[in-house]
Amino acid sequence: MNLKIVFFHLNLLIKIYSGTIVISAHHKPDADGKFEDQNNDEIIVSISIAECDMRCSLNPRCVSFFYNSLTKLCIVHSNPFTYTVITKSGTGWRFYVTRDRTGRCPDNFFLYRQLDFCYQFMPSLMAAYISCPLGTLQRIDTEEKQNYTMKITANIELVYDDAICMQGKNTGEGWKFLDGTPMTYFNWNWNHPKFDSNQLRMIRNKNYVWFATADNKYCSYLCEYP
């Protein structure tokens, strides 16, 4: 496998010419001096930032990584830390977030390759006005995707203190996604669903259980592509 590494100021562009992976890693200077080793997906000692970036590109769970230029420690995460607090600090740490460059995802979307999940965080608004100009409202169709959503929105209440809306509609013939595909995975609260609704939401302070509610309430949400 032929590896080419190109540096663009604060950005690192990793290209792995296997025909499958092209990832760019972007430095986030606001997080300099901070790091997180809890809930990591891999910790290694790397001789350089380039090696750390390469390890990230080879790990399908990697969405971001922390690198310490003094200790050479590389911490790989599946979390972009958009809505998760980075809890630790120390000298020499830098934080990088990856972006897909294969064309699989639009610009400004994150790609979690483990689930082939392209997603974008959206602001809180009334559920009736949810819009995804690129892609559709996120669907939760497996326990793994439910758990991943919980992980990447762990501290979203610091910005948007609302439930998280997702796809789901009671058609009278069972719950279905927007394209008509029957839903087979559910994480209902013990007394739900109570009534027909086109709005499903996860309630963060109830361990992300599902509620069916009216569309006149506010929620934050994720768009996924396609």
Side-chain angles (χ1 to χ4, degrees):
M1 180 171 57
N2 183 23
L3 178 66
K4 181 180 180 181
I5 305 174
V6 184
F7 292 87
F8 292 107
H9 301 291
L10 297 178
N11 294 339
L12 295 172
L13 181 64
I14 290 290
K15 294 185 177 181
I16 299 181
Y17 289 102
S18 62
T20 56
I21 302 175
V22 179
I23 293 174
S24 60
H26 301 265
H27 176 220
K28 298 295 183 181
D30 289 348
D32 281 355
K34 300 178 181 179
F35 72 100
E36 187 59 71
D37 55 5
Q38 297 297 311
N39 299 315
N40 71 81
D41 290 88
E42 185 179 15
I43 298 181
I44 58 173
V45 175
S46 299
I47 60 174
S48 66
I49 178 63
E51 183 184 357
C52 183
D53 201 354
M54 181 182 69
R55 292 299 295 262
C56 173
S57 68
L58 294 173
N59 187 332
R61 295 183 181 274
C62 183
V63 177
S64 67
F65 61 89
F66 297 88
Y67 181 72
N68 191 299
S69 58
L70 302 178
T71 64
K72 309 302 181 183
L73 200 62
C74 172
I75 307 177
V76 171
H77 282 272
S78 57
N79 192 341
F81 289 91
T82 303
Y83 294 124
T84 305
V85 174
I86 302 172
T87 63
K88 299 182 180 180
S89 60
T91 304
W93 287 102
R94 285 193 170 192
F95 177 57
Y96 295 83
V97 175
T98 68
R99 297 291 188 183
D100 168 63
R101 290 296 177 259
T102 65
R104 167 68 181 87
C105 301
D107 289 342
N108 299 320
F109 276 64
F110 296 107
L111 173 60
Y112 181 48
R113 289 169 286 152
Q114 180 71 15
L115 295 177
D116 191 31
F117 177 35
C118 285
Y119 64 94
Q120 182 182 45
F121 295 104
M122 302 298 285
S124 182
L125 79 170
M126 190 178 295
Y129 300 113
I130 285 176
S131 173
C132 289
L134 296 175
T136 61
L137 182 63
Q138 180 193 12
R139 63 167 66 188
I140 304 290
D141 50 9
T142 64
E143 183 177 4
E144 188 174 6
K145 199 168 184 182
Q146 167 88 17
N147 291 338
Y148 183 67
T149 302
M150 293 169 62
K151 183 176 187 178
I152 62 178
T153 60
N155 302 115
I156 195 172
E157 75 277 1
L158 300 177
V159 182
Y160 301 118
D161 193 18
D162 296 302
I164 300 173
C165 281
M166 57 187 178
Q167 278 195 47
K169 179 179 180 179
N170 189 342
T171 64
E173 298 178 349
W175 286 84
K176 296 184 179 182
F177 293 116
L178 298 179
D179 63 2
T181 303
M183 297 176 64
T184 57
Y185 171 79
F186 300 94
N187 190 41
W188 293 116
N189 189 48
W190 69 272
N191 61 344
H192 273 256
K194 286 184 175 179
F195 49 82
D196 292 350
S197 172
N198 289 341
Q199 292 297 333
L200 290 183
R201 59 187 66 209
M202 296 181 284
I203 309 300
R204 292 176 294 95
N205 60 8
K206 294 184 180 293
N207 199 31
Y208 286 78
V209 293
W210 296 9
F211 282 65
T213 61
D215 61 4
N216 61 353
K217 295 185 178 181
Y218 278 73
C219 62
S220 59
Y221 63 104
L222 284 74
C223 293
E224 67 174 79
Y225 182 89

